[in-house]
Amino acid sequence: NDAFRVHSLTGASGSTTYAVYYENPVESMRPKYDIDFGYKGLGTCTPLGCYVNNTTLVARKIKEHFKDGDKLVLKARGMLADGIVRETSIVLAEYKEAKDSVMYNWTAFTLNSLGAVDYIDFEVESTCPDVPGYVCIDGILAGVMVEY
């Protein structure tokens, strides 16, 4: 299924497994948080980064529907239980009349600016409603410190 298949042939390190993120439009079907650090009562989790790439369907829809000025962005929000939120983002595709830019290969997405977090939420934002918000994610790396 093109919606769930990465545009490159394999996962970030040549593996056959990776995650496909898509925010279900039905809010009751979504988890409270996309990533929940289960040991937050015992320590800290500091996300360092991951690899991201477009799905085949998204890459095709971008080519079919993007016009000058359209953009597809993946945002990551790191949150703490006390409400502190930090955000970072990466451009998945951008169309400018002079040159278009579409992510076709696994690309490092640095997350260390989020700092220590309890939760991470992702969001795909598109200026073009005809482009679905799927994104492939692989190799999430985090520094974890747990005290017993």
Side-chain angles (χ1 to χ4, degrees):
N1 183 328
D2 282 351
F4 306 118
R5 189 175 67 224
V6 68
H7 190 69
S8 57
L9 298 177
T10 65
S13 59
S15 70
T16 58
T17 58
Y18 49 84
V20 177
Y21 170 80
Y22 177 69
E23 187 171 292
N24 194 318
V26 180
E27 192 170 342
S28 64
M29 298 290 290
R30 292 185 221 153
K32 186 168 182 179
Y33 302 104
D34 296 325
I35 297 176
D36 182 347
F37 176 53
Y39 291 96
K40 57 189 155 285
L42 299 172
T44 60
C45 176
T46 305
L48 302 174
C50 62
Y51 288 93
V52 296
N53 198 355
N54 286 307
T55 67
T56 300
L57 174 67
V58 168
R60 189 172 63 243
K61 294 291 186 182
I62 288 167
K63 288 294 187 185
E64 291 172 3
H65 298 288
F66 260 30
K67 305 279 188 260
D68 192 35
D70 281 335
K71 197 174 196 178
L72 184 68
V73 176
L74 173 63
K75 291 185 175 183
R77 285 185 195 88
M79 295 164 280
L80 292 170
D82 63 8
I84 295 175
V85 177
R86 292 183 194 95
E87 184 176 284
T88 189
S89 62
I90 188 169
V91 176
L92 302 170
E94 185 171 19
Y95 186 86
K96 295 180 180 175
E97 197 169 313
K99 183 180 190 253
D100 66 336
S101 170
V102 180
M103 188 180 293
Y104 291 120
N105 296 300
W106 289 103
T107 303
F109 182 19
T110 304
L111 300 172
N112 60 352
S113 64
L114 299 177
V117 299
D118 295 330
Y119 315 101
I120 299 175
D121 273 341
F122 293 105
E123 180 181 3
V124 178
E125 289 186 350
S126 177
T127 57
C128 180
D130 295 319
V131 175
Y134 295 100
V135 65
C136 297
I137 301 174
D138 198 358
I140 296 174
L141 184 63
V144 177
M145 185 187 82
V146 178
E147 296 179 12
Y148 289 96

